[in-house]
């Protein structure tokens, strides 16, 4: 048994070592991925729950690695955050999504809002608001058609600077959504203290609808609170009719999820937009 235990430890540390090497290799490759055009955006429609029509799209990044399948953002965004590449990626996503939006507006003959995930490190740049302004002006879209999704952890480092930047962005007409709402323990404080226009209710809440009464009570309370604060609620991860009708009944404003559409590359989304806007 002792022998076995020792072997286990050996195998374990070996696996950790391999993982570290793989992560370093990925970090090196990610560095080139932007220039080589390997990063790509999929988009998921965001729906007005009252009309069940599309109001906008969330851009979700993927990495088309030359030797692997599509790599999930869960895998490489943390690496990008640790290596400082994230800021460049955030700006690339914004620009690409803005350009794509212009194409779609022609397709649907409407104006869709584009929602972009913007992670923490970017908010350490005091001139972030100007950088964003430049991109939006260059691409020629209306700032009110742009939403930035941020998470609570974004601001743990420098709350004052973060709030300052958010206020500048809002002044330009950009809207701010607090992502993954309800997963952190200080959520309610942030809801009141951060200048935000919307909260995205985490999928963990939505997929328990119909299974846990306590959970439904919380969802209802969050929506009422947000309404009182004049904040929009977007439900994430709506997968079935039951969840949808519960959310409609309690007056949730918007939602997204597999029930309406999965995230897809632009050529597929173009068809989804036609369906969801008519
Ligand atoms: P998120 O912002 O919370 O995005 C929602 C995730 O839920 C997406 O995963 C989406 O594909 C998935 N999802 C949407 N509807 C459903 C549903 O009905 N059921 C289920 N089971 N899942 C659903 P994805 O695309 O893998 O993205 C994961 C996370 O990676 C995102 O979470 C976001 O935090 C981050 N991320 C994605 N794109 C970007 C980006 O461009 N920049 C940055 N900084 N982070 C990004
Ligand atoms: Ca998001
Ligand atoms: Ca989220
Ligand atoms: Ca999430």
């Amino acid at each position: 048994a002792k022998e076995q235990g020792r072997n286990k430890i050996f195998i374990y540390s070996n696996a950790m070592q391999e993982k570290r090497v793989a992560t370093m290799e990925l970090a090196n490759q990610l560095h080139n991925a932007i220039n080589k055009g390997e990063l790509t955006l999929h988009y998921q429609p965001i729906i007005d729950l009252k009309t069940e029509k599309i109001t906008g799209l969330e851009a979700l990044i993927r990495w088309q690695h030359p030797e692997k399948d599509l790599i999930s953002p869960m895998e490489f965004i943390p690496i990008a955050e640790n290596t400082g590449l994230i800021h460049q990626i955030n700006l690339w996503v914004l620009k690409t999504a803005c350009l794509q939006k212009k194409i779609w507006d022609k397709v649907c003959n409407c104006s869709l809002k584009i929602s972009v995930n913007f992670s923490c490190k970017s908010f350490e740049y005091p001139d972030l608001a100007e950088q964003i302004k430049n991109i939006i002006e260059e691409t020629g879209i209306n700032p009110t058609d742009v939403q930035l999704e941020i998470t609570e952890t974004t601001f743990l480092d420098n709350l004052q600077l973060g709030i300052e930047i958010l206020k500048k962005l809002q002044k330009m007409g950009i809207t701010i959504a607090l992502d993954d709402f309800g997963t952190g323990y200080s959520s309610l404080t942030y809801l009141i203290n951060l200048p935000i226009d919307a909260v995205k209710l985490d999928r963990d809440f939505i997929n328990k609808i119909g299974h846990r009464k306590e959970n439904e009570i919380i969802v209802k309370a969050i929506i009422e609170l947000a309404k009182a604060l004049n904040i929009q609620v977007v439900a994430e991860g709506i997968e079935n009719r039951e969840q949808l009708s519960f959310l409609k009944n309690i007056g949730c404003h918007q939602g997204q999820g597999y029930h309406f559409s999965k995230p897809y590359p632009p050529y597929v989304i173009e068809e989804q937009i036609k369906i969801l806007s008519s």
Side-chain angles (χ1 to χ4, degrees):
K2 205 175 171 190
E3 195 61 34
Q4 218 179 2
R6 215 176 328 166
N7 281 343
K8 249 189 212 153
I9 290 167
F10 177 70
I11 291 166
Y12 181 59
S13 64
N14 212 7
M16 280 198 352
Q17 175 65 14
E18 271 171 31
K19 186 153 194 270
R20 248 198 313 268
V21 171
T23 302
M24 270 166 57
E25 200 176 293
L26 218 55
N28 281 333
Q29 294 172 341
L30 184 58
H31 204 86
N32 296 319
I34 305 181
N35 301 330
K36 292 202 287 185
E38 290 170 9
L39 296 183
T40 167
L41 296 183
H42 285 192
Y43 296 86
Q44 184 175 40
I46 298 175
I47 308 295
D48 179 322
L49 295 190
K50 236 184 219 158
T51 61
E52 293 192 35
K53 291 202 170 134
I54 186 169
T55 59
L57 300 124
E58 178 177 3
L60 294 156
I61 197 168
R62 276 97 183 86
W63 177 7
Q64 183 60 74
H65 191 283
E67 293 132 36
K68 297 179 185 169
D69 288 338
L70 272 190
I71 303 181
S72 148
M74 307 283 250
E75 206 175 319
F76 69 88
I77 290 295
I79 296 177
E81 286 173 345
N82 289 329
T83 54
L85 283 171
I86 192 66
H87 185 55
Q88 202 186 340
I89 292 178
N90 284 339
L91 296 180
W92 176 84
V93 172
L94 177 65
K95 183 171 182 180
T96 309
C98 286
L99 290 172
Q100 183 62 59
K101 173 214 157 32
K102 276 184 25 182
I103 299 172
W104 282 329
D105 281 359
K106 281 184 199 137
V107 171
C108 71
N109 198 20
C110 64
S111 192
L112 295 167
K113 191 159 185 139
I114 198 82
S115 207
V116 170
N117 295 285
F118 233 76
S119 57
C120 48
K121 296 287 184 284
S122 283
F123 284 84
E124 291 168 9
Y125 294 79
D127 64 338
L128 177 66
E130 285 73 34
Q131 294 182 32
I132 289 175
K133 185 170 185 248
N134 288 341
I135 291 175
I136 292 176
E137 277 177 6
E138 269 170 38
T139 52
I141 74 170
N142 199 329
T144 55
D145 283 335
V146 177
Q147 176 154 285
L148 295 192
E149 299 189 5
I150 58 168
T151 56
E152 303 171 347
T153 50
T154 307
F155 293 109
L156 292 184
D157 288 343
N158 193 340
L159 188 65
Q160 262 343 95
L161 178 61
I163 290 178
E164 228 173 83
I165 295 173
L166 290 183
K167 285 187 175 158
K168 276 192 198 166
L169 293 170
Q170 280 183 327
K171 242 191 195 147
M172 288 158 51
I174 294 170
T175 58
I176 310 296
L178 190 56
D179 209 347
D180 298 335
F181 184 73
T183 53
Y185 45 82
S186 51
S187 294
L188 290 182
T189 323
Y190 278 104
L191 197 57
I192 292 161
N193 292 332
L194 287 179
I196 52 170
D197 306 282
V199 294
K200 301 196 72 171
L201 200 48
D202 196 72
R203 190 166 79 227
D204 278 355
F205 285 111
I206 309 307
N207 63 31
K208 290 194 195 92
I209 291 172
H211 301 292
R212 280 191 68 215
K213 194 82 200 137
E214 299 87 339
N215 183 74
E216 291 172 13
I217 292 170
I218 293 174
V219 171
K220 215 173 151 188
I222 290 174
I223 290 173
E224 271 163 26
L225 179 61
K227 279 188 170 165
L229 294 168
N230 206 11
I231 291 171
Q232 288 271 316
V233 181
V234 186
E236 288 184 337
I238 303 175
E239 292 185 353
N240 57 51
R241 269 262 143 222
E242 188 187 8
Q243 294 162 349
L244 174 61
S245 40
F246 175 82
L247 290 164
K248 280 174 83 128
N249 280 337
I250 59 173
C252 181
H253 308 101
Q254 287 173 293
Q256 63 192 105
Y258 297 171
H259 176 72
F260 299 108
S261 170
K262 286 189 174 180
Y264 288 114
Y267 70 96
V268 181
I269 283 298
E270 189 168 320
E271 296 309 309
Q272 297 286 71
I273 291 173
K274 286 178 194 159
I275 296 166
L276 291 167
S277 60
S278 63

